[in-house]
Amino acid sequence: MSSFSLRPLTSTIGAEIDGLDIASPLSSEDRQEVLDALVAHHVLFFREQDITPEQQVAFAKQFGPISFPPFAPKYGTNPEYIVLDQENPKGEGADAWHSDNSFMSEPPMGSVLRAVLIPEVGGDTCFASTVAAYDALSPSIQRLVDGLKAIHDITKPLLKGIAAGHTTVNLEDVQAQWPPVAHPIVRTHPVTGKKSLYVNRNSTTHIEGLSERENEMLLPFLMDHIRSPEFQCRFKWDTNSVAFWDNRSAQHFAVSDYHSRRIMNRVTIAGEKVL
Ligand code: OGA
Ligand code: MN
């Protein structure tokens, strides 16, 4: 019997969890039920979690080791979590559909994001199920994309981070540390076995083995397909709201419709090779 309740936000993605205090270690039953809910709903939301960064890190560690940021952000003192501190978010990177750090050869399994300070209005985050997006493709298009691989490159998100002043790292140094990687366009979830689309606007540059013209046609189509509201939910944050997303089966988009300070703490959980 669950010690918490779960309310799905849509039929494809998102669930709000009530009655679970994530500040202290979960029982093994609760941990397993949270994990089951995460892979079933792709993103979980918890409200009124007045926790410290250390408690947020400890919560995340119950689901896997921490994934350290691929380049040093300007803010934050403990590399186990990063602070997103924004005031004019347009074009800063998170306001494009993406899966976190897909330019890594082993991209994160998930992230735990907590709202520290949020604008009075605006600054919602949208999430999309890339499983629902794949399922909605016609069998002919599924056959076309199954087996293809795409290249993911850190350059674009890194340039955005540098331009926004969120990091002071050297572009060439970080590029050398994180060379472009190829991942399947259609990935198979390690827990559910479900297929999902794995291309995103931030980091995917091109599909391997296709001509430039073919890329110009197919890649934007797949990225746009993910944007259908049928695959999405939208979360309105309160201070101390927490989102925990499965980075393997969801993408997210931070709505850049505010001009006052918004501060979020993020802890990222390491993942594995994309299959
Ligand atoms: C992230 C991210 C979205 C937001 O933390 O990876 O994209 O709404 N954040 O801040
Ligand atoms: Mn992100």
Side-chain angles (χ1 to χ4, degrees):
M1 223 356 235
S2 289
S3 63
F4 57 84
S5 65
L6 178 149
R7 187 171 57 88
L9 294 190
T10 75
S11 65
T12 49
I13 183 164
E16 206 158 321
I17 302 275
D18 257 330
L20 187 69
D21 172 13
I22 68 169
S24 34
L26 302 178
S27 67
S28 61
E29 293 79 15
D30 281 348
R31 182 201 160 275
Q32 189 59 46
E33 286 189 24
V34 168
L35 197 54
D36 292 348
L38 178 73
V39 298
H41 297 279
H42 316 294
V43 57
L44 303 178
F45 304 106
F46 308 81
R47 295 200 185 264
E48 294 176 20
Q49 304 290 333
D50 187 5
I51 57 174
T52 64
E54 291 69 29
Q55 286 171 320
Q56 189 179 337
V57 169
F59 172 73
K61 277 185 178 164
Q62 296 172 94
F63 300 94
I66 300 301
S67 172
F68 291 94
F71 52 89
K74 200 168 98 186
Y75 315 101
T77 47
N78 178 349
E80 289 190 311
Y81 70 94
I82 58 174
V83 181
L84 311 173
D85 187 342
Q86 294 176 284
E87 197 159 333
N88 289 296
K90 213 157 223 32
E92 291 193 344
D95 57 335
W97 281 103
H98 67 283
S99 172
D100 287 333
N101 302 352
S102 68
F103 48 78
M104 296 169 78
S105 56
E106 297 187 351
M109 165 274 199
S111 292
V112 179
L113 185 67
R114 176 173 162 268
V116 178
L117 177 72
I118 50 149
E120 206 152 285
V121 64
D124 295 356
T125 307
C126 300
F127 295 85
S129 164
T130 51
V131 174
Y134 176 79
D135 285 347
L137 292 171
S138 63
S140 309
I141 300 292
Q142 288 179 344
R143 272 195 300 278
L144 176 69
V145 294
D146 272 331
L148 290 174
K149 286 189 164 185
I151 304 301
H152 297 246
D153 188 325
I154 195 172
T155 304
K156 192 162 138 190
L158 180 57
L159 281 173
K160 285 184 175 181
I162 293 171
H166 294 311
T167 180
T168 53
V169 294
N170 177 270
L171 176 68
E172 287 80 18
D173 290 350
V174 179
Q175 280 175 318
Q177 198 191 340
W178 299 100
V181 293
H183 294 305
I185 286 192
V186 178
R187 68 180 295 177
T188 303
H189 197 283
V191 179
T192 63
K194 290 197 172 143
K195 289 179 172 184
S196 68
L197 276 180
Y198 196 63
V199 290
N200 71 81
R201 290 235 173 240
N202 265 3
S203 308
T204 313
T205 57
H206 61 282
I207 299 168
E208 255 183 356
L210 299 194
S211 70
E212 197 174 333
R213 184 75 189 94
E214 289 164 344
N215 256 296
E216 282 170 3
M217 189 187 63
L218 188 55
L219 198 51
F221 163 72
L222 294 173
M223 289 166 169
D224 284 349
H225 178 66
I226 289 164
R227 295 164 55 179
S228 171
E230 279 80 14
F231 317 141
Q232 292 178 21
C233 68
R234 177 170 179 142
F235 186 62
K236 178 159 177 44
W237 299 89
D238 295 310
T239 302
N240 294 328
S241 296
V242 170
F244 179 11
W245 63 83
D246 187 334
N247 200 46
R248 305 163 296 190
S249 59
Q251 291 193 17
H252 53 283
F253 183 113
V255 182
S256 56
D257 62 345
Y258 59 92
H259 299 284
S260 61
R261 206 162 171 208
R262 178 179 185 268
I263 303 175
M264 314 289 279
N265 286 347
R266 195 183 85 189
V267 181
T268 311
I269 303 164
E272 55 209 300
K273 190 170 153 45
V274 178
L275 297 172

